[in-house]
Structure formats: structure tokens, C-alpha cells
Amino acid sequence: MAPRTRAEALSRERIVEAAVALLDADGERGLTFRTLTERLATGPGAIYWHVPNKGALLDAATASVVANALTVEPAGSPQDEIRAIALGLFEAIERHPWLSARLSRSPWSSVTPRIFESVGRHVSALGIPETTWFTATSALVHYIFGAAGQNAANSRVLGLGVDRAEFLRAAAGAWKDLDPAEFPFLRSIADEVREHDDREQFLTGIDLILAGMTGAGGSTRP
């Protein structure tokens, strides 16, 4: 196999790929042009030729991860397509915890229109009034960002050598021990907390939103 040329080795795609790896390992503080040049075994000038500053590099890394998340196989009905997109974003934020902060910090960045377009295109195929498309799409996107971001935050805590099953058992036990007069609801769902699956819980939330959109009395109101 012929050796790669310098231009190939320092392509924008390889720079972004390396940036994503650094972000995954140490978050935004771990991504500097110094760590990037060390990882790519090159000089900063070669990187600056492709990416002018850290802000642009973060934008490019975010766009790359989101683009991959939105690339899903055709799933069938509009509801199935929305579920597939939502799960793709959920898993992307789980794999790349820094992504949640980027999306919440810059809600109208260049990637947000792509997410809204991807979700909204299928919302518009649900048969609900056009006057509700923006609100319905916003509800879905906000839920995805919020639920996926919270799941990523939980994963960071559990990543510190904490066993998930043990953590949930302890949490459920603590809820069971609450005052029954003051916390009847939390006590009633404690067993569900112990056994729940994060992805299934997330998709159930998507289904509830979709049911509200398409059912009588939901967001189909004119």
C-alpha cells in the first residue's frame, strides 16, 4: 500500500475525527491545539490551515457527530422514523457526553436547523395541522436534548466505578424509605426505578409525545 501524502494525513476530516476523540476522552478542556498537534504528530500551522480556531473546531466536531446520528436507515411510518432519529441522537449524546453541553449552550447553532429539519419533516407527515408543526417539533427536540443530556450526565456519574444496578437498587431503597404521607408517589414507583431501562424509558417518552400529537385532544388542536 502506498504511503499517505501529507495532505491526506492532515485532511479536515482527520482533524475533526481526532478532535472528537479528544473531546470524548477529556471534554472541552482536553481539546486544545497543542493536544491536537500531539495526537496528529504535526505542527499547529497545518491544523490552522483547515480550522481557524477552537470555536470552529468545536462546531465542526459537533456537526460531524450530529450528521452521523441523523443518518439512520428508513424505518417505515413517520412515527417509526421519528423514533429512529430520536434514538440516534440519544445514543450519540450517550457516546459523546460533551455533545449535550454543546447543543444546550448553542441552541441555534448550525446543527440545530438540521435536527429540526430531520424531525420536522416526519412531524409534517403525521397528518396533524400545519399550525402545530413548529410546537410539535420543538416538543420532541427539547425532550430529546433534555432526556439524552440527563442520561449522559448520569452515565458520567456511574462511570466513576459505580455499578448501575447497585446504584438503582440503592436509589429505589431510599425512595421506599421515604415518609409515606409526604412521598406516596415516589414510594409507589420505587420498584420501577430499580428495573427500568434507559433506552426503553426514553422511547416511551417519545411515544407519549407522539400519542399526544396524533390523539384527540392532543396538539392537533387548530
Side-chain angles (χ1 to χ4, degrees), residues 16 20 23-24 58-72 84-93 95-96 98-104 106-107 109-119 141 144-145:
V16 171
V20 169
L23 287 164
D24 290 347
L58 286 167
D59 288 343
T62 302
S64 175
V65 171
V66 169
N68 288 334
L70 295 178
T71 304
V72 298
I85 293 167
L87 187 58
L89 289 166
F90 179 89
E91 292 178 341
I93 292 173
R95 288 193 302 269
H96 311 284
W98 53 270
L99 182 59
S100 176
R102 289 291 300 169
L103 292 174
S104 62
S106 305
S109 65
S110 60
V111 300
T112 306
R114 292 186 180 279
I115 295 172
F116 259 75
E117 175 66 25
S118 186
V119 175
V141 171
I144 292 168
F145 285 5

Side-chain angles (χ1 to χ4, degrees), residues 161-178:
V162 179
D163 179 80
R164 180 181 184 276
E166 181 179 338
F167 175 83
L168 291 178
R169 281 195 299 270
W175 285 14
K176 280 285 192 181
D177 291 338
L178 292 171

Side-chain angles (χ1 to χ4, degrees), residues 22 28 46 76 87 95 108 110 148 160 167 175 182 198 200 216:
L22 289 169
E28 289 189 28
L87 187 58
R95 288 193 302 269
W108 294 108
S110 60
L160 301 175
F167 175 83
W175 285 14
E182 190 174 359
D198 295 328
E200 288 302 318

Side-chain angles (χ1 to χ4, degrees), residues 15-207:
I15 293 170
V16 171
E17 180 182 327
V20 169
L22 289 169
L23 287 164
D24 290 347
D26 297 307
E28 289 189 28
R29 287 186 296 181
L31 176 62
T32 66
F33 274 72
R34 179 178 178 180
T35 56
L36 193 58
T37 56
E38 291 173 352
R39 189 177 188 91
L40 293 170
T42 187
I47 296 176
Y48 281 118
W49 191 85
H50 292 282
V51 186
N53 52 56
K54 182 175 178 177
L57 185 58
L58 286 167
D59 288 343
T62 302
S64 175
V65 171
V66 169
N68 288 334
L70 295 178
T71 304
V72 298
E73 295 293 329
S77 68
Q79 289 91 335
D80 289 338
E81 297 283 358
I82 290 169
R83 290 187 196 97
I85 293 167
L87 187 58
L89 289 166
F90 179 89
E91 292 178 341
I93 292 173
E94 185 175 49
R95 288 193 302 269
H96 311 284
W98 53 270
L99 182 59
S100 176
R102 289 291 300 169
L103 292 174
S104 62
R105 189 181 308 146
S106 305
W108 294 108
S109 65
S110 60
V111 300
T112 306
R114 292 186 180 279
I115 295 172
F116 259 75
E117 175 66 25
S118 186
V119 175
R121 190 178 301 172
H122 300 298
V123 167
S124 68
L126 289 172
I128 65 177
E130 185 173 351
T131 53
T132 67
W133 288 359
F134 171 68
T135 299
T137 303
S138 296
L140 281 163
V141 171
H142 292 159
Y143 170 75
I144 292 168
F145 285 5
Q150 184 60 56
N151 179 71
N154 293 342
S155 297
R156 286 197 296 274
V157 173
L158 295 177
L160 301 175
V162 179
D163 179 80
R164 180 181 184 276
E166 181 179 338
F167 175 83
L168 291 178
R169 281 195 299 270
W175 285 14
K176 280 285 192 181
D177 291 338
L178 292 171
D179 184 341
E182 190 174 359
F183 300 98
F185 173 73
L186 289 184
R187 285 170 51 85
S188 72
I189 65 171
D191 290 335
E192 185 178 346
V193 170
R194 181 187 293 113
E195 304 296 336
H196 86 280
D197 177 270
D198 295 328
R199 285 174 177 75
E200 288 302 318
Q201 181 187 41
F202 173 75
L203 289 174
T204 297
I206 294 291
D207 288 341

